[in-house]
Amino acid sequence: MVNTNCLCVGCVDHASIGVVEKWGRFQNLAFPGLHFFNPFSGECLSGVLSLRVQSLDVRIETKTKDNVFVKLVCSIQYRVIRENADDAFYELQNPSEQIQAYVFDVVRAVVPRMTLDDLFEQKSDVAKAVSEELEKVMGAYGYSIEHILLVDIIPDDHVRKAMNDINAAQRLQLANVYKGEAEKVLQVKKAEGEAEAKYLSGIGIAKQRQAITNGLRENILNFSSKVEGASAKEVMDLIMVTQYFDTIKDLGNSSKNTTVFIPHGPGHVRDISDQIRNGMLEASSSVAPQ
């Protein structure tokens, strides 16, 4: 801001710099403070430039190497160089338009050489290229480029949806792989558990049959020694028939069974006793003592 009177006093605010002319020609720079001018000799304060950092957002639409149209938002932070304020005052009428034109030129030269994925990964390279070009050009006009930020990359809506779908499909594929591996481990562990259970069950059955065989042997020997004239076969038949009737009794007492048809008669009982005896003898011969 400039406060002047109609006589010869001018005030330049802090963080600003004034341009003094004499008869329409640049004379010197007026730094912040109170200044006196001689209007009769043609001196006047022609204008004031701010030395504060200014920000300019430039929106650019361009195409990547893989033919994807994107919108870029580039934030340019610049300021007037104090010592070259006269160049900034006289050389450029609209510095923001000049900066915007150079940003358009550089971005549209760099981005088409990148794919969309490269652009997201290397956006700092784009900002660096813009910064180098602007510093070289705008420095001659009395402007310093402080920072350049590529603040946003906006692909077309259809492209963003496709990228999200691809990402979702990849994650779903990975999830299915993990799920398959988990199911595989579960099936393997289940098979190992069943195999171990069957192995232990087999050992238990073998031991059970061995114990039954040993018990029958002892019963036969005890019965034969106490009852004179009784052969081992007769004792075995008696034990088998007793077990046969015990089994029928258990079937009748079970609440989970309804009707069971079993052939019954002297001949059938004899056949059953022979079958049971033969089965026990075969089990005894096939299972080695532990």
Side-chain angles (χ1 to χ4, degrees):
M1 296 178 60
V2 182
N3 298 323
T4 60
N5 54 26
C6 59
L7 297 178
C8 57
V9 178
C11 184
V12 179
D13 291 340
H14 184 68
S16 300
I17 192 166
V19 177
V20 180
E21 294 181 350
K22 185 174 183 180
W23 302 117
R25 184 177 181 180
F26 173 72
Q27 182 175 0
N28 63 285
L29 297 174
F31 294 97
L34 184 65
H35 298 271
F36 296 93
F37 306 101
N38 186 0
F40 297 103
S41 62
E43 290 182 350
C44 67
L45 186 62
S46 178
V48 176
L49 293 175
S50 174
L51 298 178
R52 294 184 178 92
V53 175
Q54 303 180 59
S55 180
L56 173 65
D57 290 338
V58 182
R59 295 182 175 270
I60 314 147
E61 185 174 3
T62 185
K63 185 179 71 171
T64 62
K65 186 177 181 179
D66 47 354
N67 297 321
V68 177
F69 284 91
V70 294
K71 294 179 181 179
L72 307 179
V73 180
C74 193
S75 180
I76 316 296
Q77 297 178 0
Y78 65 98
R79 69 191 309 168
V80 174
I81 302 175
R82 181 189 297 268
E83 294 77 9
N84 300 331
D86 54 332
D87 293 331
F89 185 79
Y90 290 105
E91 295 294 335
L92 290 180
Q93 182 177 1
N94 194 331
S96 61
E97 289 186 0
Q98 187 78 7
I99 291 174
Q100 182 173 333
Y102 279 107
V103 172
F104 270 91
D105 182 66
V106 174
V107 170
R108 287 178 175 172
V110 174
V111 173
R113 297 198 295 265
M114 297 180 174
T115 63
L116 182 61
D117 293 336
D118 292 339
L119 179 59
F120 276 99
E121 294 175 0
Q122 304 173 15
K123 66 177 185 177
S124 59
D125 295 342
V126 179
K128 183 179 179 181
V130 174
S131 177
E132 291 175 352
E133 183 66 20
L134 285 181
E135 286 178 356
K136 180 173 61 177
V137 174
M138 299 303 294
Y141 297 119
Y143 285 90
S144 171
I145 305 300
E146 300 296 321
H147 298 285
I148 295 182
L149 303 174
L150 194 60
V151 296
D152 203 1
I153 302 174
I154 309 173
D156 184 78
D157 292 339
H158 297 291
V159 176
R160 283 192 291 177
K161 184 178 182 302
M163 292 175 65
N164 291 332
D165 291 341
I166 292 173
N167 191 7
Q170 291 176 346
R171 292 182 180 274
L172 181 60
Q173 181 181 7
L174 184 61
N176 289 331
V177 171
Y178 283 121
K179 183 178 179 181
E181 291 294 333
E183 291 179 351
K184 177 182 177 181
V185 172
L186 182 62
Q187 292 294 333
V188 171
K189 293 299 182 183
K190 183 178 179 181
E192 291 177 353
E194 291 178 352
E196 183 69 18
K198 290 180 180 179
Y199 173 75
L200 296 176
S201 176
I203 294 177
I205 292 173
K207 290 182 178 180
Q208 179 187 24
R209 289 178 178 176
Q210 182 65 36
I212 293 174
T213 303
N214 294 336
L216 291 175
R217 184 185 299 110
E218 292 178 0
N219 290 333
I220 292 172
L221 294 176
N222 292 334
F223 193 88
S224 300
S225 62
K226 293 180 181 180
V227 179
E228 297 181 358
S231 64
K233 180 179 181 302
E234 293 174 347
V235 177
M236 186 68 180
D237 291 340
L238 178 61
I239 293 173
M240 294 299 103
V241 171
T242 303
Q243 290 185 347
Y244 171 73
F245 284 111
D246 290 341
T247 303
I248 294 176
K249 181 179 178 181
D250 292 337
L251 288 174
N253 293 332
S254 176
S255 60
K256 296 182 180 179
N257 297 309
T258 56
T259 303
V260 180
F261 293 96
I262 299 176
H264 188 70
H268 292 105
V269 173
R270 187 183 308 109
D271 293 339
I272 292 173
S273 63
D274 292 339
Q275 294 175 11
I276 295 174
R277 182 178 65 253
N278 293 334
M280 295 300 297
L281 293 175
E282 291 176 359
S284 177
S285 62
S286 63
V287 178
Q290 300 294 325

